[in-house]
Amino acid sequence: MRITILGSAAGGGFPQWNCNCRNCAGVRSGSVNAKPRTQSSIFVQPDGGHEGVLFNASPDILEQIRSHGALQPARALRDTAIAGVVLMDGQIDHATGLLMLRERNGKLPLWCTDPVEEDLSQGLPVLRVLSHYCGVERHRITLDGGWFSVPGVADLRFQALPLSSKAAPYSPHREQPVAGDNIGITLHDQRSGKSAFYAPGLGDITPAVFEAMRSADAVLVDGTFWTDDEMPKLGISSKHAREIGHLPQSGPGGMIEWMAQLPATTQRHLIHINNTNPILDEDSPERAILTRADIHVCEDRMTLKL
Ligand code: MLT
Ligand code: MN
Ligand code: ZN
């Protein structure tokens, strides 16, 4: 399979429109060695196939489609390579791009859990709005370990894992999490036998999450924050990383420690990186720590072949 990183930034993107933190100001002026990034999404295709699955629909989807020819195969007057969309949660950065797909011919095939369907019908009623345009053909993602596939996308199958993270602020379960608010997905290519674990928002590595990471050939996991107090320390927000469902990379119990316990052959990638994270600066000491630990920081337009 081919995994294309459409967007490697967290909500807000990089640089964020209203932010003048060191990273955002520095990438604008060129004084920081960093690459701009769009918001969180990947596109997954089987080898040799046109059609693929979009994981998350970011507010930057139109720009992402324009900069990736593979998403517009141009086989007909109206065409797309997006055979279906799978949502990891109902947050703005992962779901509002659905509105940009409203001109689709026929209902948009959409896979999500029940709590996400609820959030997107109530707190942020994207699905109700879309029913006035192309409409959605919704498929339920269950949390029983079952595999699902997307019609038109041969050889690939997917398995969801509930994560302890956080629902969006407009969700009725923001403070009372329910299973399925956030999921991670194992992507398995039945032809190559390879798999990847994708979890852009991950608050805690439970035994089940570590097992999913350990079993995969590549992990693409939460790279939002370097430290728990990254935003409070910068005076940007009072929100701590763990409080909003993101495991920081550094420190005891952080993502770097967990990744060190993976098999030596596992490809380690961080994705969904917040604009405040010092790892965005390619010359930073924090980036050097990741490089030494063989941990890669995802960039937009990067492709992984598995
Ligand atoms: C998150 O994952 O916490 C989000 O990126 C927040 C947001 O989109 O505002
Ligand atoms: Mn997010
Ligand atoms: Zn910033």
Side-chain angles (χ1 to χ4, degrees), residues 154-260:
D155 303 320
L156 303 187
R157 58 178 196 157
F158 313 108
Q159 183 187 45
L161 181 66
L163 300 178
S164 98
S165 187
K166 206 79 193 222
Y170 42 80
S171 167
H173 353 102
R174 172 75 165 180
E175 301 309 330
Q176 295 87 34
V178 301
D181 281 336
N182 302 79
I183 56 169
I185 292 258
T186 296
L187 323 168
H188 181 241
D189 183 334
Q190 292 168 280
R191 190 127 59 104
S192 69
K194 301 279 186 191
S195 65
F197 180 66
Y198 174 58
L202 179 55
D204 193 13
I205 312 265
T206 60
V209 170
F210 189 70
E211 182 51 31
M213 290 171 68
R214 206 191 54 75
S215 311
D217 297 285
V219 298
L220 295 101
V221 291
D222 194 328
T224 314
F225 298 111
W226 180 254
T227 51
D228 191 49
D229 62 355
E230 192 166 303
M231 293 203 294
K233 233 171 155 178
L234 286 167
I236 279 178
S237 157
S238 59
K239 291 175 182 165
H240 284 69
R242 284 191 162 90
E243 190 187 312
I244 56 168
H246 299 291
L247 180 72
Q249 283 107 57
S250 64
M255 189 62 89
I256 298 173
E257 276 192 11
W258 282 104
M259 281 185 159

Side-chain angles (χ1 to χ4, degrees), residues 7-299:
S8 53
F14 178 56
Q16 182 174 303
W17 69 280
N18 63 343
C19 191
N20 289 298
C21 73
R22 181 182 178 276
N23 282 343
C24 289
V27 74
R28 277 189 209 105
S29 70
S31 65
V32 166
N33 181 19
K35 295 184 179 69
R37 286 165 164 85
T38 61
Q39 293 167 84
S40 184
S41 176
I42 63 173
F43 187 63
V44 183
Q45 293 161 288
D47 291 328
H50 277 305
E51 309 249 320
V53 183
L54 183 71
F55 288 84
N56 299 320
S58 108
D60 300 320
I61 182 75
L62 297 182
E63 181 188 339
Q64 293 167 343
I65 291 172
R66 279 184 208 114
S67 55
H68 291 85
L71 274 83
Q72 179 45 268
R75 299 162 297 188
L77 181 58
R78 293 286 172 97
D79 197 16
T80 179
I82 302 170
V85 183
V86 177
L87 298 181
M88 316 304 290
D89 57 50
Q91 296 251 17
I92 288 176
D93 58 340
H94 286 160
T96 52
L98 291 172
L99 294 173
M100 301 304 118
L101 305 178
R102 65 191 178 282
E103 297 92 352
R104 184 183 176 97
N105 285 337
K107 290 188 174 183
L108 177 68
L110 178 74
W111 279 256
C112 64
T113 62
D114 283 343
V116 168
E117 199 244 7
E118 208 178 297
D119 287 354
L120 296 181
S121 304
Q122 293 170 22
L124 179 68
V126 167
L127 303 184
R128 283 202 276 136
V129 174
L130 274 180
S131 72
H132 298 278
Y133 298 88
C134 62
V136 162
E137 174 195 299
R138 191 258 169 159
H139 301 262
R140 175 178 289 116
I141 295 183
T142 57
L143 303 171
D144 55 5
W147 292 90
F148 65 96
S149 54
V150 170
V153 181
D155 303 320
L156 303 187
R157 58 178 196 157
F158 313 108
Q159 183 187 45
L161 181 66
L163 300 178
S164 98
S165 187
K166 206 79 193 222
Y170 42 80
S171 167
H173 353 102
R174 172 75 165 180
E175 301 309 330
Q176 295 87 34
V178 301
D181 281 336
N182 302 79
I183 56 169
I185 292 258
T186 296
L187 323 168
H188 181 241
D189 183 334
Q190 292 168 280
R191 190 127 59 104
S192 69
K194 301 279 186 191
S195 65
F197 180 66
Y198 174 58
L202 179 55
D204 193 13
I205 312 265
T206 60
V209 170
F210 189 70
E211 182 51 31
M213 290 171 68
R214 206 191 54 75
S215 311
D217 297 285
V219 298
L220 295 101
V221 291
D222 194 328
T224 314
F225 298 111
W226 180 254
T227 51
D228 191 49
D229 62 355
E230 192 166 303
M231 293 203 294
K233 233 171 155 178
L234 286 167
I236 279 178
S237 157
S238 59
K239 291 175 182 165
H240 284 69
R242 284 191 162 90
E243 190 187 312
I244 56 168
H246 299 291
L247 180 72
Q249 283 107 57
S250 64
M255 189 62 89
I256 298 173
E257 276 192 11
W258 282 104
M259 281 185 159
Q261 298 173 51
L262 293 172
T265 50
T266 310
Q267 290 185 37
R268 298 133 210 250
H269 303 278
L270 295 174
I271 197 160
H272 188 278
I273 302 145
N274 198 56
N275 63 80
T276 51
N277 193 327
I279 64 174
L280 287 168
D281 177 351
E282 295 172 29
D283 302 329
S284 65
E286 292 85 356
R287 176 64 81 93
I289 291 172
L290 294 183
T291 305
R292 279 199 300 278
D294 204 18
I295 299 172
H296 179 259
V297 181
C298 284
E299 292 173 10

